[in-house]
Amino acid sequence: MSNVVLIRYGELFLKGKNKKYFENVLLDNIKYNLKKFDCKVSKISGRYLVEGYDVENEESIIAQLQKIFGIHSVSPAILIESSKSAIYSHFRNLDLSLYHTFRVTVNRADKTFPVTSYDMQRELGAEVLMHNKHLKVNLANPEIELQVDIREGGYTFIFDKIIPCSNGMPVGTAGTGLLLLSGGIDSPVAGYMMAKRGMKLAAIHFHSYPYTSEQAKQKVVELAKIVSEYSGSIKLHIVTFTKIQEAIHKKCKPDYMITIMRRIMMRIAESIAMQNGYKCLITGESLGQVASQTVESITVTNNVITTLPVLRPLIGMDKEEITVISKKINAFETSILPYEDCCTVFLPEHPVIKPTVKSACHQEKFLDIQALIDEALSNAEIIE
Ligand code: ATP
Ligand code: MG
């Protein structure tokens, strides 16, 4: 008899010939995430199995599994040999003093096992009742459902909890996207959402030292770390934006400042993405949240992108909905630390709400855009 954790994965991605590939990526992700627990992870029919761990770590292992995309649910279980005597003796010794109602559910995948699931359910139910006089059977809505899963190969799982996990797709099955990561609430959530669809992440952050502080940068490193708990390791590109911002401030109309900044950020981000083989850009924009996120502003910013798609997973979400996810992934407390973002430096009082491509291009004529971009790119720093 041993303690194990059963892992179920979603069915969604398991259609067609990619099935094996998805299964293997998920298995690797699980192994990687559980490395520190010194346990064995293997694939059994339609599931994964974690075994050989210190029982004291079971809760931590389950908490870790809940962060892995592609897992539907897990159950801490007892693994015993598939024999009537072993299963019955386990049921005889269960401590069910906390419960009032129960049911037994048997699944017999091993058709050579000599008792049918229906008979087994009744017999095990009777066994439980005999040793727990206070209990009653409730098939529709029991306080505890004792589940017996008799597998081919002579082993049986017994469990009573099905713990929901993150669902989604295994990270690494959808290429790598470059997340534009600010210090705010939205962009870490945007990264989390894309990781949930199987995307591995890289990130880019623009800072304006000395207008923005070293702590502001550290905060972004911390946010990348938080997101990486779900997405796996993140390569963070840090780009100094100071000179660009000073130039825009000096040469361009104040109401177009943010528009031009965004357009240059996009150009730099796309350039870094192309150099590194990242497949798309990801932003935390949500329609109408601020002046730079009206559909006109998004049009003008998007206009400088030549090749890659820009994914905006939060585009239709309210701040409240975004905040719920930010709190769920433990990013919120870090996101609200009061360090300045480069977008708040030289902030104009009235940013344009409906910019046009024509005016933006006109303003950019006052800048040597390519030189500014090249310099920023050549000074980019990388943090793993
Ligand atoms: P967030 O909460 O993510 O900071 P926000 O509500 O503050 O978003 P904006 O400041 O308009 O919105 O930024 C929109 C998006 O542009 C951000 O979600 C992020 O993807 C990107 N962005 C903004 N500032 C930076 C920055 N300094 N470095 C990298 N990306 C940035
Ligand atoms: Mg912001």
Side-chain angles (χ1 to χ4, degrees):
M1 186 182 105
S2 61
N3 288 74
V4 298
V5 180
L6 273 173
I7 302 175
R8 300 175 197 84
Y9 45 91
E11 283 293 318
L12 241 180
F13 54 88
L14 296 181
K15 309 241 154 69
K17 43 184 176 207
N18 284 332
K19 175 175 164 152
K20 261 251 130 37
Y21 169 68
F22 281 104
E23 285 179 349
N24 288 338
V25 173
L26 182 53
L27 180 60
D28 284 347
N29 291 353
I30 295 170
K31 283 181 178 168
Y32 179 81
N33 275 281
L34 297 185
K35 222 160 46 185
K36 62 171 179 258
F37 296 109
D38 194 21
C39 54
K40 183 175 164 228
V41 185
S42 55
K43 172 135 188 2
I44 55 172
S45 73
R47 297 179 190 180
Y48 302 106
L49 184 65
V50 187
E51 53 191 330
Y53 53 83
D54 185 341
V55 181
E56 270 181 23
N57 289 331
E58 192 168 86
E59 251 177 65
S60 313
I61 287 175
I62 289 171
Q64 190 73 43
L65 290 170
Q66 285 184 296
K67 292 182 171 178
I68 302 176
F69 292 122
I71 297 180
H72 172 268
S73 61
V74 299
S75 293
I78 298 296
L79 171 61
I80 54 177
E81 65 172 279
S82 294
S83 75
K84 258 185 96 168
S85 65
I87 299 172
Y88 280 64
S89 119
H90 180 76
F91 269 73
R92 218 168 290 134
N93 295 318
L94 285 175
D95 176 10
L96 298 170
S97 53
L98 288 176
Y99 302 96
H100 306 93
T101 59
F102 79 106
R103 71 166 285 168
V104 179
T105 305
V106 175
N107 172 40
R108 188 180 60 135
D110 178 3
K111 298 299 177 209
T112 66
F113 191 77
V115 191
T116 67
S117 38
Y118 181 73
D119 287 345
M120 188 94 171
Q121 275 166 203
R122 290 184 32 204
E123 287 175 26
L124 287 172
E127 190 76 27
V128 169
L129 284 172
M130 200 155 69
H131 293 92
N132 298 274
K133 300 285 184 223
H134 68 290
L135 277 179
K136 284 201 167 60
V137 174
N138 181 338
L139 294 180
N141 193 20
E143 284 173 5
I144 182 166
E145 180 173 1
L146 302 163
Q147 306 207 42
V148 181
D149 193 3
I150 304 167
R151 308 304 303 180
E152 279 164 14
Y155 56 94
T156 290
F157 299 113
I158 300 174
F159 57 92
D160 57 70
K161 285 185 198 70
I162 295 181
I163 302 169
C165 295
S166 296
N167 281 314
M169 307 283 226
V171 169
T173 57
T176 304
L178 181 61
L179 171 66
L180 280 85
L181 183 61
S182 68
I185 294 170
D186 303 332
S187 41
V189 174
Y192 168 84
M193 303 271 291
M194 292 320 301
K196 180 165 185 184
R197 298 312 301 164
M199 194 158 256
K200 199 171 152 43
L201 298 177
I204 180 166
H205 175 68
F206 299 92
H207 77 117
S208 291
Y209 189 78
Y211 300 110
T212 60
S213 61
E214 182 59 32
Q215 288 131 301
K217 182 169 134 187
Q218 274 317 311
K219 170 182 167 179
V220 171
V221 173
E222 189 51 41
L223 285 172
K225 256 191 215 156
I226 292 168
V227 176
S228 76
E229 296 209 14
Y230 302 87
S231 69
S233 67
I234 294 178
K235 192 165 160 184
L236 172 61
H237 302 259
I238 305 235
V239 175
T240 306
F241 211 58
T242 320
K243 269 203 176 161
I244 297 174
Q245 256 180 305
E246 285 171 346
I248 302 172
H249 182 57
K250 217 155 103 192
K251 307 258 173 78
C252 305
K253 267 175 63 187
D255 60 341
Y256 263 75
M257 170 125 202
I258 292 182
T259 310
I260 308 293
M261 271 173 53
R262 279 289 144 74
R263 281 163 62 92
I264 298 181
M265 281 184 183
M266 286 304 213
R267 288 180 177 107
I268 294 175
E270 189 180 33
S271 179
I272 287 186
M274 301 289 276
Q275 280 167 23
N276 289 275
Y278 307 145
K279 299 266 192 302
C280 65
L281 304 183
I282 303 162
T283 75
E285 288 160 306
S286 146
L287 190 65
Q289 201 186 76
V290 288
S292 58
Q293 295 176 24
T294 60
V295 73
E296 291 83 0
S297 290
I298 291 174
T299 304
V300 177
T301 327
N302 211 62
N303 185 258
V304 296
I305 295 288
T306 62
T307 310
L308 298 179
V310 181
L311 304 184
R312 300 176 172 88
L314 312 186
I315 198 71
M317 290 171 74
D318 298 340
K319 197 75 184 185
E320 221 177 285
E321 295 171 291
I322 298 168
T323 303
V324 168
I325 301 178
S326 171
K327 287 182 176 161
K328 187 176 90 178
I329 66 172
N330 276 324
F332 188 72
E333 293 305 321
T334 306
S335 284
I336 59 172
L337 292 174
Y339 304 122
E340 59 302 312
D341 179 64
C342 76
C343 297
T344 57
V345 180
F346 308 129
L347 193 71
E349 246 180 84
H350 300 291
V352 59
I353 289 171
K354 296 187 175 183
T356 63
V357 172
K358 195 172 156 210
S359 302
C361 290
H362 176 71
Q363 290 302 313
E364 286 178 356
K365 290 205 180 104
F366 303 108
L367 304 168
D368 187 349
I369 298 252
Q370 201 50 53
L372 287 168
I373 290 178
D374 289 345
E375 193 189 338
L377 283 172
S378 68
N379 293 323
E381 175 194 352
I382 293 175
I383 302 176
E384 285 280 350

